[in-house]
């Protein structure tokens, strides 16, 4: 058994006992209530689910097992060639609650390398799709095609007992994460680089190998990937990609089926696709004006045009956050360090100066501040990756770490099939008459 799995095998019974005790002593206490407004309004702020891997505070931002993004950047092992944390480390942290050692991270890199072979039929499935199919549809399809490899599904058919669920969810998760870089890179190269694929480099870590197979071999791009794949991994359990993965998994659908479903949610423009929309918005507007960096007046006019046209300003606002997303700030710091003179970075900075005031004047968005998606594209463009339709796939590779770590815990804790109660408007009309 791998060190990580052994650690989990040790941690799970303790957590099961703790939860058993909490439920026995406090099971009747009210955690959250739901008003009629909340029932119609996307169930905001109703505490009704448990997710172990991370917790979001509306003012402070995300904490992974208690660690903020700056703390993760400081405490998680860095790759020897740079300063950014390796995503292997945050996966370990999310699963075990412990910061791994350098050796533990290297062990995980090695284990993912050994599990990384993608079956040929997955590439054939991708090749059967039109080359201009959206990369997120390709990504979700490839994850589904990988499902033939599910050990969880095979063991379920053989009649595995409940206590083994987490163990096979773990095996599927490890295989799946190991294979995602090659799948993601294959989609990129077939869609944008005439199908000229690049073989994996077995000397690289998980992020470095993805950078290499995408065709970006600079040290700085590898560092960007390490940061990017770390900070996009998880945002507690209620966001669309995490909640969908959890919900589908609750039917004991295996990790492949669950992740593919989660990725379909990530592909929505109000969620992960916003990173593509930000760049599309910026490119279209620059092209219209014929300038690289517009004046403040031109920018503000474009922001108002978007709002007056009934569209959202992509990359701004959030369902939970009420301040600038620390994931935005981490990327801004990366840009200040590596590309301070980049014209697109300057434009992203100008939007940061103007958009919040305009959104406040517009008076609708509860949070006028930028989220993670407002910044990621400009970093990728700087290194030459300007195919913005692809960006959400990179978000998805990272998001897999968090949602699958949670899925393992879901099975370890025996969480049941999810089935909230719904009511009709007729029912509500009767209810308010009597209330
Ligand atoms: N631009 C214009 N209008 C906005 C807005 C924005 N960036 N953000 C919110 N609003 C509007 C909403 O559309 C809503 O309008 P209606 O009353 O007409 O329906 C109103 O303000 C209130 O919305 P809210 O309560 O502030 O925001 P929600 O919790 O409903 O939605 C989010 C959150 C992220 C979907 C929304 O802010 C948005 O659409 N932002 C732009 C898309 C985006 O960047 N998404 C990425 C989020 C991060 C991620 O998941 O990756």
């Amino acid at each position: 058994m791998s060190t990580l799995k052994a650690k989990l095998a040790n941690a799970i019974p303790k957590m099961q006992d703790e939860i058993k005790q909490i439920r026995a002593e406090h099971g009747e206490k009210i955690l959250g209530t739901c008003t009629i407004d909340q029932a119609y309004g996307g169930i905001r702020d109703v505490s009704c689910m448990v997710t172990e891997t991370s917790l979001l505070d509306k003012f402070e931002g995300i904490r992974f097992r208690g660690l903020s993004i700056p703390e993760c950047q400081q405490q998680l092992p860095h790759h020897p060639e740079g300063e950014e944390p390796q995503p292997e480390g945050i996966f370990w942290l999310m699963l075990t609650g412990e910061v791994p050692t350098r050796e533990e991270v290297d062990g995980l890199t090695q284990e993912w390398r050994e599990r990384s072979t993608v079956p040929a039929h997955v590439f054939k499935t991708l090749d059967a799709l039109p080359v201009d199919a959206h990369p997120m549809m390709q990504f979700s399809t490839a994850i589904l095609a990988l499902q033939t490899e599910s050990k969880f599904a095979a063991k379920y058919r053989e009649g595995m007992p409940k206590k083994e669920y987490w163990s096979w969810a773990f095996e599927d998760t490890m295989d799946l994460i190991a294979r995602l870089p090659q799948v993601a890179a294959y989609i990129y190269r077939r869609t944008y680089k005439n199908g000229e694929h690049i073989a994996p480099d077995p000397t690289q870590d998980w992020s470095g190998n993805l950078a290499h197979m995408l065709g970006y071999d600079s040290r700085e791009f590898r560092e960007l990937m390490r940061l990017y794949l770390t900070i996009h991994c998880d945002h507690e359990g209620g966001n669309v990609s995490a909640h969908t993965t959890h919900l589908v998994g609750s039917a004991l659908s295996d990790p492949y089926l669950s992740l593919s479903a989660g990725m379909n949610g990530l592909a929505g423009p109000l969620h992960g696709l916003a990173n593509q929309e930000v760049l599309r918005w910026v490119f279209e507007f620059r092209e219209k004006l014929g300038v690289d960096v517009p004046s403040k007046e031109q920018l503000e006019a474009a922001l108002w045009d978007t709002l007056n046209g009934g569209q959202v300003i992509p990359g701004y606002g959030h369902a939970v956050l009420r301040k600038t997303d620390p994931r935005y700030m981490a990327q801004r710091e990366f840009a200040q360090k590596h590309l301070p003179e980049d014209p697109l970075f300057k434009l992203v900075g100008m939007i940061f100066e103007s958009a919040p005031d305009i959104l406040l004047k517009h008076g609708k968005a509860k949070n006028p501040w930028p989220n993670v998606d407002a910044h990621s594209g400009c970093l990728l463009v700087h290194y030459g990756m300007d195919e913005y339709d692809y960006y959400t796939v990179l978000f998805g590779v990272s998001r897999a770490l968090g949602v699958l770590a949670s899925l393992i815990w879901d099975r370890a804790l025996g969480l049941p099939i999810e089935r909230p109660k719904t009511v009709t408007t007729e029912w509500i009309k009767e209810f308010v008459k009597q209330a």
Side-chain angles (χ1 to χ4, degrees):
M1 195 188 279
S2 70
T3 333
L4 179 57
K5 197 169 184 186
K7 257 187 194 292
L8 266 180
N10 202 23
I12 286 168
K14 285 187 203 143
M15 189 74 180
Q16 285 169 335
D17 284 350
E18 246 181 295
I19 291 174
K20 208 168 162 188
Q21 203 177 335
I22 292 172
R23 291 183 70 171
E25 285 175 25
H26 307 285
E28 298 292 311
K29 292 196 174 136
I30 290 171
L31 195 59
T33 51
C34 184
T35 63
I36 290 174
D37 261 349
Q38 287 168 317
Y40 281 110
I43 334 179
R44 295 290 184 284
D45 280 331
V46 182
S47 298
C48 60
M49 285 166 62
V50 182
T51 302
E52 306 295 346
T53 46
S54 64
L55 187 65
L56 182 59
D57 178 272
K58 61 167 82 170
F59 297 112
E60 198 198 37
I62 192 69
R63 279 185 181 268
F64 304 95
R65 296 281 191 172
L67 297 188
S68 66
I69 286 185
E71 286 165 352
C72 283
Q73 285 177 294
Q74 231 181 7
Q75 294 181 32
L76 292 175
H78 299 173
H79 192 277
E81 74 172 358
E83 292 167 352
E84 299 302 341
Q86 285 176 261
E88 286 90 332
I90 202 146
F91 179 70
W92 187 290
L93 174 70
M94 286 188 294
L95 261 186
T96 65
E98 291 174 17
V99 171
T101 61
R102 168 82 265 141
E103 292 68 40
E104 286 168 336
V105 161
D106 287 344
L108 197 49
T109 303
Q110 180 57 26
E111 191 170 351
W112 286 350
R113 197 177 287 144
E114 284 160 14
R115 292 173 183 256
S116 66
T117 306
V118 177
H121 76 267
V122 176
F123 299 128
K124 282 193 197 145
T125 305
L126 285 171
D127 287 338
L129 295 172
V131 84
D132 60 355
H134 192 279
M136 276 307 277
M137 186 277 259
Q138 297 190 48
F139 191 52
S140 170
T141 303
I143 294 168
L144 272 186
L146 272 169
Q147 193 270 348
T148 50
E149 309 306 292
S150 175
K151 294 168 182 162
F152 183 97
K155 288 286 167 187
Y156 193 85
R157 274 181 84 107
E158 287 168 19
M160 75 169 145
K162 283 185 178 177
K163 65 178 177 3
E164 284 186 19
Y165 287 175
W166 79 264
S167 172
W168 296 107
F170 178 89
E171 294 301 325
D172 276 2
T173 292
M174 294 289 275
D175 289 344
L176 188 40
I177 291 174
R179 291 162 190 179
L180 288 180
Q182 210 177 341
V183 166
Y186 192 90
I187 293 167
Y188 181 70
R189 303 290 305 181
R190 82 177 285 267
T191 307
Y192 305 109
K193 305 289 174 189
N194 301 318
E196 290 159 13
H197 296 291
I198 300 172
D201 175 353
T203 65
Q204 293 288 348
D205 61 331
W206 189 67
S207 317
N209 196 27
L210 171 61
H212 167 73
M213 290 184 288
L214 288 168
Y216 297 88
D217 272 315
S218 70
R219 186 187 71 84
E220 261 182 44
F221 191 82
R222 287 194 290 277
E223 278 286 271
L224 173 62
M225 281 298 99
R226 291 182 188 116
L227 175 68
Y228 189 107
L229 298 173
T230 296
I231 63 176
H232 285 79
C233 68
D234 208 33
H235 219 222
E236 72 171 33
N239 66 77
V240 172
S241 51
H243 191 185
T244 307
T245 308
H246 163 81
L247 172 66
V248 174
S250 83
L252 297 187
S253 305
D254 61 61
Y256 297 86
L257 299 174
S258 307
L259 182 66
S260 176
M263 290 301 105
N264 295 338
L266 193 72
L270 297 188
H271 189 18
L273 204 80
N275 62 6
Q276 124 178 358
E277 292 301 289
V278 169
L279 262 284
R280 197 163 66 85
W281 188 89
V282 166
F283 281 0
E284 280 178 8
F285 141 75
R286 282 202 322 192
E287 199 178 322
K288 205 166 92 189
L289 292 175
V291 291
D292 263 3
V293 182
S295 68
K296 188 172 159 55
E297 291 68 34
Q298 286 172 319
L299 172 64
E300 294 191 348
L303 290 166
W304 276 116
D305 280 352
T306 301
L307 291 172
N308 293 335
Q311 293 159 298
V312 296
I313 296 176
Y316 280 73
H318 199 272
V320 179
L321 284 170
R322 292 295 177 259
K323 65 159 256 190
T324 298
D325 192 335
R327 301 171 298 176
Y328 177 94
M329 293 310 290
Q331 296 179 93
R332 186 174 157 82
E333 279 158 25
F334 185 96
Q336 278 162 337
K337 187 163 143 198
H338 296 287
L339 43 127
E341 297 309 321
D342 182 276
L344 195 56
F345 171 51
K346 288 193 172 152
L347 178 51
V348 166
M350 285 174 70
I351 301 175
F352 186 26
E353 279 166 25
S354 293
D357 274 351
I358 290 180
L359 279 166
L360 282 175
K361 280 192 196 121
H362 184 243
K364 271 192 169 186
K366 294 192 189 69
N367 175 38
W369 303 108
N371 60 58
V372 64
D373 299 317
H375 214 303
S376 49
C378 100
L379 302 177
L380 296 167
V381 170
H382 178 80
Y383 295 103
M385 184 185 274
D386 57 6
E387 301 92 350
Y388 50 74
D389 278 359
Y390 181 74
Y391 293 171
T392 314
V393 173
L394 294 178
F395 193 157
V397 173
S398 173
R399 186 46 60 98
L401 299 174
V403 299
L404 292 175
S406 281
L407 202 66
I408 295 170
W409 273 105
D410 291 348
R411 297 292 73 79
L413 299 177
L415 301 190
I417 188 163
E418 200 164 271
R419 197 350 182 146
K421 176 84 187 91
T422 69
V423 294
T424 60
T425 298
E426 274 310 309
W427 187 95
I428 287 182
K429 286 197 304 207
E430 281 304 310
F431 171 77
V432 293
K433 262 192 234 160
Q434 285 155 28

